[in-house]
Amino acid sequence: MIGDTIAAVSTPPGKGGVALLRVSGPGTLQVLGAVFRTGAGKALSDPEPRRAYYGTIRTPGEEEMIDDGIAVFYPAPHSFTGEDVAEITCHGGVLVTRTVLCALLCAGARQAEAGEVTRRAFLNGKLRLSEAEALGTLLDAATEQQRRLARSGLNGNLSRAVQALYDRLCTVLASIYAKIDYPDEDLADLSGAQIRTMLSEVLCDVQRLGATWQTGRAIAEGIPTVICGAANAGKSSLYNRLVGYDAAIVTDIAGTTRDVLQESAVVGELLLRLCDTAGIRQTEDAVERLGVERSLRAIEEAELILCVFDASRPLDAEDEAVLKKLAGASGKKAIAVWNKADLPRAVNAALPQGLFAREYTISAATGQGLAALEKGLEGLYLDGGCAPQDGILTNARQYAAAQKAKEAVQSAVAALQSGMTQDIAGMDLELALSALSEVDARGVSADITDAIFHRFCVGK
Ligand code: GDP
């Protein structure tokens, strides 16, 4: 509930040099005064804003100090949450930190729920929703690219791009409504032709924004990718190369990989959610057969398929079975990887036309050709990609909102082109505005914001 005063440990649980606790809400000064005494022994009830005070921390009503530390007071609205906030730094022992938190609760604060601190920042207008999501991505970032992407969102680049589209649509809509409401007066800023031109431009930009999801997703979420192919083609060897360590067992015994292995692999700027699979072959071995079934399912669920062929031997029935499976899997990007380039080539047939977006020749054993494969994969998703200063969509929720906005603007453009009255286009544009406003949650339902903030941990 906004309005009460919350407290939480903001540093991760466990032992550290220091721990930081945050208090936020109207009772912050009272809580601070009750637990913190300055070096001179006075309760810190009237601190200077943003000044660091050294002092001691106590449970209210007790003389024995828990620890010494630093307190800083940030008065509303110039704080992270927009409310009065106090930050107390103590020594980072598990028990010390927990006891200081208990003292804050004794002084009248309530334990914050997961994500509640950030939620307050959002509700008080200190952080837009896409920025809050970017903060979550930043805290979870495991790759440099994810960090950069999250930083771009947190700097407000997506928010600004969406706001600019919103403002342009508002201008068009205002002109349309002026014409409809006051047909006899010359109130509209834009002529009919100008409205059509401006809407077409906005449509291009909304489409461009939607297209950034390809890059955003490739970096933030990763592309579901499967490595498939005949037994002993070198799937596990390629998997290990891409993952960067020996995650899968490599032997020349066919049928070694029986389960689907999964790891994330950073390929240039791209993140692959990579699966190594069992070869697809007829087998009497019950366990291997289950593995083959799982491989087939993994191919169905993947978006990118790296299909490995052994270039040192002619294509055989097992390769044919893989090709048949791929021919039936539509809507995926398939890449042919000719492996074992270090051995004499003995390929007897070309691959079927149109099945593979690209072909690469590599040696998973020596590493030859891998850089070109990685560059090619990266280009497949990130070519013509976005600069970090662009607004980039980084999750499915934002993408869905951008798509809705695109369809509504498309419909408005079509309505005007087919000579329908402007109020029809006006209704579409209202839908587009409402969809755009969802990106930063002006109008997003409480359920969705709940789902977003619960992903944060307590203290964030
Ligand atoms: P999988 O069954 O498709 O996963 O294939 P593996 O990765 O387990 O490899 C099968 C056999 O081929 C192993 O003996 C590997 O050492 C060997 N192998 C894999 N890649 C290469 C390569 O590029 N060159 C050569 N010469 N052997 C390879």
Side-chain angles (χ1 to χ4, degrees):
M1 187 186 66
I2 201 148
D4 61 354
T5 299
I6 53 173
V9 182
S10 289
T11 35
K15 204 157 83 172
V18 291
L20 182 102
L21 295 97
R22 267 189 183 143
V23 184
S24 178
T28 295
L29 271 183
Q30 192 192 327
V31 172
L32 189 61
V35 302
F36 200 89
R37 288 191 201 167
T38 60
K42 270 180 49 201
L44 187 60
S45 42
D46 188 20
E48 230 179 87
R50 292 173 292 282
R51 179 178 155 190
Y53 289 88
Y54 168 75
T56 52
I57 306 159
R58 285 178 174 73
T59 303
E62 289 185 16
E63 268 314 300
E64 192 192 346
M65 75 166 184
I66 303 167
D67 195 12
D68 58 348
I70 305 285
V72 183
F73 174 63
Y74 301 90
H78 305 295
S79 69
F80 177 70
T81 58
E83 305 174 322
D84 278 357
V85 167
E87 289 184 352
I88 298 177
T89 313
C90 62
H91 292 100
V94 176
L95 186 61
V96 180
T97 310
R98 197 184 311 146
T99 314
V100 173
L101 177 64
C102 286
L104 296 172
L105 304 184
C106 279
R110 169 174 67 73
Q111 162 82 62
E113 291 166 17
E116 197 173 1
V117 176
T118 314
R119 177 200 285 270
R120 287 190 174 198
F122 165 68
L123 291 174
N124 289 323
K126 292 301 238 179
L127 211 58
R128 296 191 187 89
L129 192 62
S130 63
E131 291 166 343
E133 286 174 325
L135 178 59
T137 311
L138 186 68
L139 298 179
D140 289 339
T143 69
E144 180 57 18
Q145 290 71 29
Q146 287 174 336
R147 185 198 62 74
R148 268 201 272 142
L149 187 71
R151 224 19 278 184
S152 159
L154 201 47
N155 290 347
N157 290 337
L158 175 59
S159 262
R160 271 191 296 279
V162 170
Q163 184 66 44
L165 288 168
Y166 190 94
D167 292 346
R168 283 156 72 193
L169 282 180
C170 278
T171 307
V172 175
L173 198 57
S175 271
I176 288 181
Y177 284 162
K179 272 206 180 74
I180 294 170
D181 292 342
Y182 305 99
D184 301 330
E185 298 176 45
D186 192 19
L187 289 181
D189 299 330
L190 303 169
S191 68
Q194 279 174 319
I195 286 178
R196 282 194 298 278
T197 310
M198 201 160 159
L199 271 188
S200 303
E201 284 166 7
V202 172
L203 180 58
C204 278
D205 289 346
V206 178
Q207 279 167 332
R208 206 168 297 145
L209 180 68
T212 64
W213 173 226
Q214 164 137 318
T215 304
R217 194 177 64 120
I219 296 174
E221 289 189 356
I223 307 292
T225 306
V226 76
I227 301 183
C228 70
N232 272 345
K235 299 180 293 299
S236 295
S237 304
L238 174 60
Y239 181 79
N240 289 346
R241 280 276 179 188
L242 292 175
V243 167
Y245 75 108
D246 286 347
I249 298 170
V250 170
T251 69
D252 53 4
I253 305 164
T256 308
T257 305
R258 292 164 166 233
D259 210 344
V260 175
L261 303 180
Q262 287 193 358
E263 289 273 349
S264 289
V266 179
V267 172
E269 299 244 334
L270 194 66
L271 185 70
L272 301 182
R273 286 192 276 123
L274 198 59
C275 298
D276 184 21
T277 61
I280 300 170
R281 59 175 191 158
Q282 296 289 345
T283 170
E284 293 307 310
D285 182 314
V287 180
E288 197 188 344
R289 209 163 45 228
L290 283 176
V292 172
E293 275 167 28
R294 288 188 182 190
S295 305
L296 295 174
R297 218 174 313 133
I299 291 176
E300 261 147 39
E301 286 164 8
E303 183 185 315
L304 174 64
I305 300 175
L306 305 180
C307 190
V308 185
F309 299 98
D310 183 343
S312 70
R313 61 161 175 77
L315 293 181
D316 65 10
E318 214 181 317
D319 294 310
E320 293 300 336
V322 174
L323 289 170
K324 207 164 137 211
K325 176 70 198 166
L326 288 191
S330 59
K332 301 180 189 293
K333 286 185 175 135
I335 307 289
V337 181
W338 292 102
N339 188 32
K340 309 199 186 181
D342 52 309
L343 300 178
R345 191 173 166 91
V347 179
N348 58 338
L351 295 172
Q353 285 267 317
L355 194 54
F356 295 98
R358 295 177 187 183
E359 286 186 32
Y360 292 91
T361 300
I362 66 156
S363 165
T366 66
Q368 171 193 339
L370 267 162
L373 169 65
E374 294 193 354
K375 198 94 212 108
L377 293 178
E378 206 184 1
L380 212 54
Y381 285 89
L382 304 184
D383 260 6
C386 332
Q389 69 274 11
D390 292 340
I392 302 175
L393 301 171
T394 57
N395 63 46
R397 186 193 68 77
Q398 297 167 353
Y399 176 64
Q403 284 302 94
K404 244 197 276 177
K406 182 192 83 179
E407 282 158 24
V409 178
Q410 250 166 353
S411 166
V413 168
L416 290 178
Q417 273 168 356
S418 64
M420 285 190 197
T421 52
Q422 293 208 336
D423 53 334
I424 304 281
M427 274 164 17
D428 285 325
L429 294 186
E430 284 202 27
L431 282 178
L433 283 176
S434 135
L436 282 179
S437 65
E438 281 176 25
V439 173
D440 270 329
R442 292 172 297 183
V444 162
S445 78
D447 290 351
I448 297 178
T449 45
D450 272 357
I452 292 164
F453 287 107
H454 270 107
R455 287 180 30 225
F456 286 81
C457 36
V458 173
K460 302 292 180 310

